[in-house]
Amino acid sequence: MSAQTLHFVPSADFRSRTAEAVSDTQLRRSFRGAMDFLQGKRSAQFPDADELEALRTLGEAVRQHALQNLPQLLEQLEQNLTRNGVQVHWARDAAEANQLVLQIAQRAAAKKVIKGKSMVSEEVELNHFLAQNGISCLESDMGEYIVQMADEKPSHIVMPAIHKTKEEIGQLFSEHIPDTAYTTDVDTLIQTGRRALRQAFMDADIGLSGVNFAAADTGTLWLVENEGNGRLSTTIPRVHIAMMGMEKVVAQLAHIVPLASLLTRSATGQAITTYFNLISGPRRTGEKDGPQEVHLVLLDNGRSQAYADAQLRSTLQCIRCGACMNHCPVYARIGGHAYGTTYPGPIGKIISPHLLGLDATADLATASTLCGACAEVCPVKIPIPDLLIRLRNEASRHPDEQVSHALKGQGALYSRSEKWAWKFWSGAYSKPGRYQSMRWLVTRLRWLTPAQQAGWTRHRTALRPAARSLAEILKAQGIPE
């Protein structure tokens, strides 16, 4: 199994990647079917609109309360984890996080790492970094295991291999797992993957995991999973390393309960997930399982940039359910890889600029219809369309303009000609006389308009002409005059 290649790609390639994805009919068919399925499952879990709205309001309040008190809660979390025997490490960026994990691995003389689901480790390219330093890192989440075997990156934050067909997975397994015959039977493929991974848990020196939530009052790490690989990764190896974005902390353990309910139902349409793992320290005297050491790496990596701005801070409310992706018309057509970032879809469009800078991600904010579906289904009510508009404005702002909270890469899409075009239009429409003159002029230049708008008419159904009179409208609706 080869080391994973770097995932972050130049923003300039975004348009070509989307064009390629839209042209892939199989990809579009697969994603459309998968998104429809997930939308239906989520809808079935929330039959009571009032209950859903009350739960979303509670989830939003929990996340906003945590963010309002983030510095104090992080300090409290560190104190209680340390008291429980967990070693806490702070990382400013991806490079520092990777170095911390490497140092822990070197002290433990580790050569093999088994990894449960962790989007933060994907974010910092940990697998690639460890491989460069002679340490293998094997994914144990089935979806992650498949995309690692294919030398790819996840295309969805909850279902990493959603872009793969059973035929492609069968081919991968027959090529990479010894003595495995080609099959497209899903149950057989799952059992084959589990058998291949079982011994890896026993052989690993370090188990690495993500963290869904952390309770500051008890010093507890809360992990959500369905397959059991997270539990095996965090209990069998002698060292457990958890990696967590600093925004995942909440004030009280009780606050996680409504978030967990929202997460599972919004993500995969399950009433409850299969496993909730609550970790509060290493193995204690008399206990028969568990790691001898537990480490937590708390990662910033641009999150403090979002935190510093009152509006952009709501980006950090995200609980990584993927519901916004499942309901996004753009994501359904281009898939996750077209975005070129760890977090695709609507949530990726608003968080990636803070992680990577607007200069590398400016085009992402424009890849949206602003239909609002993402905001309507977000379990913690993140106003994603508002944030996309804000990021578009920041990307178009003059790079040297002095603002109260400048974003990294500000002005990445700045255009002097666009600036003057907007000035012209605002001036033309600012006075009634100018507006009348402009209208007179453009109506006389109508002959310059192409007879057929090729880009529009090839892909869209023309609007029906409106009725010309009230009588015609009444007649069309069968209403007597």
Side-chain angles (χ1 to χ4, degrees):
M1 197 173 298
S2 60
Q4 288 182 303
T5 54
L6 286 173
H7 186 41
F8 301 140
V9 290
S11 178
D13 294 339
F14 179 64
R15 294 181 185 276
S16 62
R17 291 195 306 271
T18 55
E20 182 180 350
V22 169
S23 301
D24 188 336
T25 55
Q26 177 59 45
L27 179 74
R28 293 185 64 182
R29 189 180 304 112
S30 298
F31 267 88
R32 182 68 273 166
M35 297 304 102
D36 288 344
F37 174 73
L38 290 168
Q39 289 177 26
K41 290 196 69 177
R42 176 194 174 277
S43 180
Q45 286 299 326
F46 295 110
D48 187 333
D50 292 335
E51 187 260 352
L52 170 59
E53 186 61 22
L55 191 55
R56 289 180 70 216
T57 300
L58 177 58
E60 178 190 30
V62 167
R63 295 300 297 127
Q64 288 186 350
H65 174 268
L67 292 174
Q68 288 165 3
N69 299 279
L70 186 60
Q72 302 94 310
L73 291 179
L74 286 171
E75 291 181 0
Q76 183 184 8
L77 176 67
E78 180 183 29
Q79 292 170 0
N80 287 328
L81 283 171
T82 302
R83 183 196 62 200
N84 294 342
V86 177
Q87 301 177 52
V88 180
H89 312 268
W90 299 77
R92 286 170 294 187
D93 53 29
E96 193 167 321
N98 287 334
Q99 283 294 337
L100 284 168
V101 174
L102 178 60
Q103 290 169 11
I104 296 169
Q106 289 174 338
R107 285 199 298 268
K111 292 298 180 183
K112 294 182 179 180
V113 175
I114 190 80
K115 185 152 77 74
K117 189 91 168 76
S118 170
M119 290 306 297
V120 167
S121 69
E122 292 283 357
E123 177 186 325
V124 302
E125 296 287 343
L126 180 66
N127 291 11
H128 182 81
F129 177 80
L130 291 179
Q132 289 178 327
N133 287 275
I135 300 174
S136 68
C137 191
L138 179 65
E139 299 283 354
S140 65
D141 173 89
M142 189 58 64
E144 296 275 0
Y145 178 64
I146 291 168
V147 295
Q148 184 183 35
M149 188 178 292
D151 199 20
E152 297 176 353
K153 284 290 184 176
S155 60
H156 193 287
I157 60 177
V158 177
M159 293 152 286
I162 196 171
H163 61 288
K164 288 290 188 187
T165 64
K166 59 184 179 181
E167 290 80 12
E168 291 172 326
I169 296 170
Q171 189 64 37
L172 278 172
F173 280 17
S174 66
E175 292 175 358
H176 292 274
I177 301 177
D179 304 320
T180 298
Y182 173 79
T183 179
T184 59
D185 181 74
V186 175
D187 289 337
T188 302
L189 289 171
I190 293 297
Q191 292 302 322
T192 299
R194 286 178 176 169
R195 283 195 298 272
L197 287 168
R198 186 64 57 174
Q199 188 60 41
F201 291 109
M202 304 301 296
D203 296 339
D205 305 301
I206 291 177
L208 192 140
S209 75
V211 178
N212 292 96
F213 309 105
D217 64 335
T218 58
T220 302
L221 307 179
W222 185 303
L223 281 63
V224 179
E225 58 155 332
N226 275 316
E227 301 172 14
N229 64 84
R231 182 161 295 184
L232 292 170
S233 298
T234 59
T235 56
I236 296 178
R238 65 180 186 273
V239 178
H240 170 214
I241 303 174
M243 300 187 73
M244 181 183 104
M246 69 179 193
E247 78 279 13
K248 294 296 187 70
V249 65
V250 298
Q252 299 177 21
L253 188 63
H255 289 179
I256 299 178
V257 177
L259 296 179
S261 177
L262 284 165
L263 174 60
T264 55
R265 291 198 275 175
S266 299
T268 54
Q270 295 172 264
I272 190 171
T273 195
T274 307
Y275 296 97
F276 287 130
N277 301 318
L278 278 67
I279 298 170
S280 57
R283 182 190 304 190
R284 293 173 175 80
T285 303
E287 294 181 340
K288 296 184 178 180
D289 61 8
Q292 298 169 12
E293 296 179 24
V294 177
H295 299 260
L296 174 65
V297 176
L298 278 167
L299 180 66
D300 180 345
N301 200 33
R303 288 165 173 80
S304 56
Q305 174 179 271
Y307 178 79
D309 185 277
Q311 181 186 24
L312 298 174
R313 184 179 299 177
S314 59
T315 302
L316 303 179
Q317 291 173 205
C318 178
I319 60 174
R320 302 295 191 272
C321 68
C324 62
M325 301 161 63
N326 301 341
H327 291 75
C328 176
V330 176
Y331 177 85
R333 283 157 180 78
I334 66 174
H337 287 157
Y339 293 85
T341 54
T342 299
Y343 305 102
I347 183 58
K349 297 172 194 174
I350 63 173
I351 197 170
S352 298
H354 303 293
L355 307 182
L356 303 173
L358 274 169
D359 46 351
T361 60
D363 283 336
L364 298 185
T366 66
S368 172
T369 64
L370 298 180
C371 65
C374 50
E376 290 179 9
V377 300
C378 177
V380 289
K381 295 188 176 182
I382 301 174
I384 297 177
D386 293 342
L387 300 180
L388 288 172
I389 293 173
R390 169 69 185 281
L391 291 169
R392 290 180 184 184
N393 291 336
E394 297 297 333
S396 300
R397 191 187 299 276
H398 193 287
D400 298 327
E401 182 178 345
Q402 296 298 313
V403 294
S404 58
H405 180 63
L407 301 189
K408 179 183 177 183
Q410 172 185 305
L413 296 181
Y414 174 76
S415 167
R416 191 177 299 275
S417 59
E418 180 181 335
K419 175 186 175 182
W420 284 108
W422 281 113
K423 280 190 177 238
F424 170 77
W425 283 109
S426 62
Y429 281 80
S430 62
K431 302 289 185 181
R434 295 178 186 175
Y435 173 75
Q436 294 292 344
S437 299
M438 189 67 184
R439 188 176 67 171
W440 177 89
L441 178 63
V442 297
T443 54
R444 277 145 186 82
L445 296 176
R446 186 178 296 162
W447 60 273
L448 293 173
T449 305
Q452 181 182 19
Q453 302 290 332
W456 174 273
T457 55
R458 276 205 308 266
H459 304 289
R460 297 167 175 83
T461 302
L463 296 176
R464 291 178 296 176
R468 297 181 180 179
S469 67
L470 176 59
E472 291 178 353
I473 295 174
L474 295 175
K475 183 178 179 181
Q477 297 182 4
I479 302 174
E481 295 185 56

